[in-house]
């Protein structure tokens, strides 16, 4: 059971490694020309240790070695073409539908069981650093990791420029007791690695939402009225959260299946630890759903503030129009060119009319200001 106690220690450091862009290169520049260029690494593991070799074997050589001497082979590929993947698929007997999904990518997170293998799709999430959230800011970037789990092989197919599994492979190689459990231990490590990435991204997105929320509810004020923030920024953040949600929500059911339903290809000692992954994934899903609801509330509050500000502006315009209407009316009356009009020939007519106009305007101004219109 010491291996099981060490399981979390092996895979947990992945949560502290950001899913950065990684331009993966072929595992050996001197490889055989027949080797697919998409292969990042290929190794045979026996009794929990990587079998040393003068140069990394081709997938076909590795499989022949496993069938002859035992163990399992772990092959990592990055964005293979159909032609590059065809030979590997034939060698390992992968189902054509799963092969098609792995090559074309843009798949929903899922778990599919075929005769002698499991096909699992994970969406990786990378948080895009930015100085300030704008209406065009990219907050999360997604990639994909497809896993083929067999009795004596494990194949990963990565799509996207981030989500490298190189560091995870090295950490697993440092724990022979764990790797001795076979391909199911690798599948769990990848699932835990991906979900830990979700947790890190969720914390970063929470900071962005807190920043927007602070600006909406504690903004700079002009004339005592909150002016709000650009609604396009909130909507952009909501779209990014939706992309995050599409990666997290569909994966919950596959993790529950891996943790609850006995499977021939999953070691029983490893299966119970999928429950921990499913639990963390459920917490992230709740967090993402809360983000979506909170952003809806923030967006509505911001629109309401903008509407209140517009109404306040209209009230001020209407108030000043009412004040200006008094001298406009007086000037309009005395602007009529009649010869016989009262006060037109009176010596004190002009100052009296101006004084009366000023008093009326001042009275209207004080009344409107007292009622909060100015």
């Amino acid at each position: 059971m010491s291996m099981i106690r060490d399981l979390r220690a092996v895979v947990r450091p992945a949560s502290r490694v950001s899913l950065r862009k990684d331009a993966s290169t072929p595992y050996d520049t001197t490889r055989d020309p027949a080797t697919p260029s998409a292969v990042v690494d290929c190794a045979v593991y026996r009794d929990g240790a990587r079998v040393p070799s003068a140069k990394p074997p081709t997938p076909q050589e590795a499989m022949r070695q496993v069938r002859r001497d035992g163990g399992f082979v772990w092959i990592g590929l990055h964005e293979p073409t159909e032609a590059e993947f065809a030979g590997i698929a034939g060698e390992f007997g992968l189902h054509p539908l799963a092969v098609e999904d792995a090559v074309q990518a843009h798949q929903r997170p899922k778990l599919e069981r075929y005769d002698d293998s499991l096909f699992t799709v994970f969406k990786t999430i990378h948080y895009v650093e930015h100085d300030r959230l704008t209406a065009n800011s990219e907050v999360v970037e997604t990639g994909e990791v497809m896993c083929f789990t067999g009795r004596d092989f494990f194949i990963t197919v990565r799509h996207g420029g981030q989500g490298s599994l190189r560091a995870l492979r090295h950490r697993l190689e440092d724990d022979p007791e764990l790797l001795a459990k076979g391909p199911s231990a690798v599948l769990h490590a990848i699932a835990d690695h991906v979900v830990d990435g979700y947790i890190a991204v969720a914390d970063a997105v929470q900071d962005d939402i807190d920043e927007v929320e602070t600006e909406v509810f504690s903004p700079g004020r002009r004339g005592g009225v909150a002016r709000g923030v650009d609604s396009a920024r909130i909507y952009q953040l909501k779209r990014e959260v939706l992309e995050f949600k599409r990666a997290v929500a569909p994966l919950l059911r596959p993790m529950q299946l891996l943790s609850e339903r006995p499977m021939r290809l999953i070691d029983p000692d490893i299966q119970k630890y999928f429950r921990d992954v499913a639990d963390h994934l459920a917490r992230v899903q709740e967090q993402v759903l809360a983000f979506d609801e909170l952003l809806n509330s923030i967006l509505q509050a911001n629109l309401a503030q903008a509407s209140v500000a517009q109404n306040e502006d209209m009230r001020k315009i209407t108030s000043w129009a009412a004040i200006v209407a008094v001298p406009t009316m007086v000037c309009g009356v005395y602007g009529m060119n009649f010869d016989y009009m009262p006060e037109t020939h009176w010596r004190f007519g002009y100052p009296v009319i101006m004084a009366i106009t000023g008093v009326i305007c001042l009275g209207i101004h004080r009344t409107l200001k007292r009622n909060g219109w100015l």
Side-chain angles (χ1 to χ4, degrees):
M1 293 303 293
S2 61
M3 180 279 299
I4 298 298
R5 288 194 297 269
D6 293 340
L7 181 60
R8 288 175 58 87
V10 173
V11 298
R12 280 296 179 228
S15 63
R16 296 190 291 271
V17 179
S18 63
L19 302 179
R20 301 187 183 278
K21 293 187 176 181
D22 174 39
S24 300
T25 56
Y27 66 94
D28 182 28
T29 55
T30 62
R31 66 185 184 280
D32 190 299
T35 301
S37 61
V39 175
V40 177
D41 201 354
C42 178
V44 174
Y45 295 90
R46 189 176 303 116
D47 298 326
R50 182 167 181 155
V51 177
S53 59
K55 69 174 184 176
T58 66
Q60 291 75 16
E61 292 171 347
M63 196 59 195
R64 286 195 295 269
Q65 186 176 349
V66 166
R67 289 168 179 168
R68 184 183 66 245
D69 302 325
F72 74 96
V73 56
W74 180 0
I75 303 171
L77 300 99
H78 181 250
E79 298 184 352
T81 64
E82 184 176 352
E84 289 172 332
F85 200 31
I88 296 177
E91 181 70 28
F92 292 90
L94 305 180
H95 196 278
L97 292 177
V99 172
E100 181 181 0
D101 288 346
V103 172
Q104 293 182 356
H106 303 296
Q107 301 298 315
R108 217 168 153 266
K110 59 184 177 180
L111 170 66
E112 294 180 344
R113 289 178 292 181
Y114 296 99
D115 294 337
D116 298 317
S117 65
L118 293 175
F119 178 59
T120 315
V121 178
F122 299 96
K123 284 277 191 181
T124 57
I125 298 292
H126 167 70
Y127 180 76
V128 180
E129 298 288 345
H130 47 269
D131 296 330
R132 184 176 183 275
L133 183 67
T134 67
N136 298 316
S137 293
E138 185 179 14
V139 179
V140 296
E141 185 180 50
T142 61
E144 293 179 51
V145 175
M146 286 95 161
C147 302
F148 293 88
T149 307
R151 182 180 58 82
D152 52 8
F153 66 87
F154 189 83
I155 302 172
T156 58
V157 180
R158 271 198 316 117
H159 290 269
Q162 44 82 23
S164 173
L165 302 174
R166 189 184 304 275
L168 178 63
R169 184 190 284 260
H170 292 332
R171 282 194 296 273
L172 287 172
E173 289 174 355
D174 290 337
D175 192 333
E177 192 174 359
L178 174 59
L179 268 181
K181 290 294 182 179
S184 61
V186 182
L187 179 62
H188 169 267
I190 291 177
D192 199 52
H193 173 81
V194 170
V195 173
D196 282 349
Y198 292 167
I199 296 173
V201 172
D203 292 340
V205 172
Q206 178 70 67
D207 292 338
D208 283 337
I209 295 177
D210 290 343
E211 179 184 343
V212 170
E213 185 178 22
T214 299
E215 291 185 24
V216 169
F217 292 102
S218 301
R221 295 177 178 270
R222 188 180 71 190
V225 179
R227 312 310 295 186
V229 299
D230 183 9
S231 297
R233 293 174 56 198
I234 304 175
Y235 186 71
Q236 174 65 14
L237 185 55
K238 182 173 173 59
R239 286 180 59 86
E240 296 296 302
V241 168
L242 179 61
E243 187 173 359
F244 193 4
K245 180 180 176 181
R246 288 171 179 166
V248 174
L251 186 59
L252 188 58
R253 181 59 180 165
M255 289 300 100
Q256 290 173 342
L257 290 175
L258 286 171
S259 64
E260 298 171 359
R261 184 172 299 178
M263 296 185 184
R264 180 162 44 92
L265 297 173
I266 303 298
D267 188 287
D269 289 336
I270 297 296
Q271 186 173 30
K272 65 184 69 174
Y273 281 88
F274 278 105
R275 298 174 193 167
D276 180 64
V277 178
D279 178 63
H280 287 183
L281 184 63
R283 287 166 52 193
V284 173
Q285 183 187 28
E286 292 174 359
Q287 200 172 359
V288 173
L289 292 175
F291 289 165
D292 193 36
E293 295 178 2
L294 180 58
L295 284 171
N296 282 335
S297 300
I298 293 174
L299 183 59
Q300 292 175 2
N302 189 64
L303 293 175
Q305 287 183 346
S307 179
V308 169
Q310 290 175 353
N311 290 338
E312 181 67 16
D313 291 339
M314 289 303 299
R315 286 202 305 175
K316 290 182 178 180
I317 293 172
T318 303
S319 299
W320 283 111
I323 295 172
V324 172
V326 175
T328 301
M329 182 186 66
V330 173
C331 293
V333 170
Y334 284 94
M336 294 185 293
N337 296 320
F338 291 109
D339 290 334
Y340 300 101
M341 289 184 66
E343 298 92 24
T344 55
H345 300 290
W346 183 33
R347 182 176 181 179
F348 300 103
Y350 175 77
V352 170
I353 292 299
M354 294 301 295
I356 293 174
T357 302
V359 170
I360 294 174
C361 290
L362 182 60
I364 295 175
H365 182 274
R366 288 186 174 180
T367 301
L368 293 174
K369 190 171 184 178
R370 186 170 55 249
N371 294 331
W373 283 62
L374 286 173

